[in-house]
Amino acid sequence: MRGKFITFEGCEGSGKSTQLKYLAEYLKERGVDFIMSREPGGSEISEDIRRIILNGRYTAMCDECEALLYAAARIQHVKEIIAPALNAGKLVVCDRYVDSSFAYQGYARGLGEEFIKDVNAFALKEYTPDLTVFLDISPMEAFARKHGADNSDRMESQGLEFHQRVYEGYKQLTKYPRFHAVDCRGTKTETAKKIRELLIAENIID
Ligand code: TYD
């Protein structure tokens, strides 16, 4: 039986990495057969594409190029890592996926939902996540918690207004039943508990 596919989304500083770490520990304890991966990246070629996308020197990169590079990295990642793991019956947990493209390139950059759907047609056709956890915290609160942005990263250095648009983009995605917003303004352990409860309630884990 094909495994389940879940993704984590959120604005910069939403605490995604910490929550993914907690979840990995929990899944290990429970003996769940899973893999954890990330985007952009997750495979050797996709990690190389990641270095191009996030290179702080490439300020001339146009929005369409950016969106296509994310999509290219994604197809390679799906074919090389995600699809084989799902076909082997594993639970696949991915740090960011196509919803990041909807929020960042489609909404915040203004390329639109249709453009993102078109360039991600392969991923969306057979590899739409079964469930997406959106760590819901506004960029203002997230930046305050994180003590500022890392300006060497081309995406992080975009400024608060851009990240506010990303947040609005994410909010629009709550129209999809698989997309679950989890209020993560509480403590790390409170959020971890909410995520575990959600995954159990939605039959992703026992
Ligand atoms: P990363 O350092 O992994 O960010 P984070 O720790 O917040 O997940 O960098 C990934 C950056 O790429 C992040 O700014 C979000 C952005 N991104 C997109 O704009 N579109 C996409 O499709 C993906 C997967 C990521």
Side-chain angles (χ1 to χ4, degrees), residues 12 16 40 50 54 70 74 96 100-101 104-105 155:
E12 253 76 9
K16 234 171 358 77
R50 175 191 175 94
L54 299 182
Y70 279 116
R74 181 163 301 126
R96 297 193 179 280
S100 284
S101 286
Y104 284 78
Q105 285 69 50
M155 296 305 282

Side-chain angles (χ1 to χ4, degrees), residues 8-19 96 104 134-139 141-143 145-146 170 182 184-185 191:
F8 274 62
E9 296 284 350
C11 292
E12 253 76 9
S14 60
K16 234 171 358 77
S17 311
T18 306
Q19 291 306 327
R96 297 193 179 280
Y104 284 78
F134 168 54
L135 293 173
D136 192 349
I137 182 169
S138 74
E141 287 167 291
F143 276 126
R145 210 162 62 169
K146 202 185 166 188
Y170 272 131
V182 172
C184 63
R185 290 171 300 175
T191 303

Side-chain angles (χ1 to χ4, degrees), residues 84-96:
L86 291 175
N87 291 333
K90 292 179 198 283
L91 169 67
V92 174
V93 184
C94 193
D95 179 355
R96 297 193 179 280

Side-chain angles (χ1 to χ4, degrees), residues 43-100:
S43 76
E44 193 184 357
I45 295 168
S46 307
E47 289 288 335
D48 268 358
I49 300 174
R50 175 191 175 94
R51 279 187 274 280
I52 297 173
I53 303 175
L54 299 182
N55 190 329
R57 287 186 297 121
Y58 292 159
T59 49
M61 188 183 291
C62 70
D63 297 344
E64 289 81 357
C65 175
E66 181 182 288
L68 287 163
L69 286 175
Y70 279 116
R74 181 163 301 126
I75 294 188
Q76 186 66 30
H77 183 216
V78 167
K79 290 200 174 182
E80 215 180 313
I81 308 290
I82 296 177
L86 291 175
N87 291 333
K90 292 179 198 283
L91 169 67
V92 174
V93 184
C94 193
D95 179 355
R96 297 193 179 280
Y97 190 62
V98 72
D99 297 317
S100 284

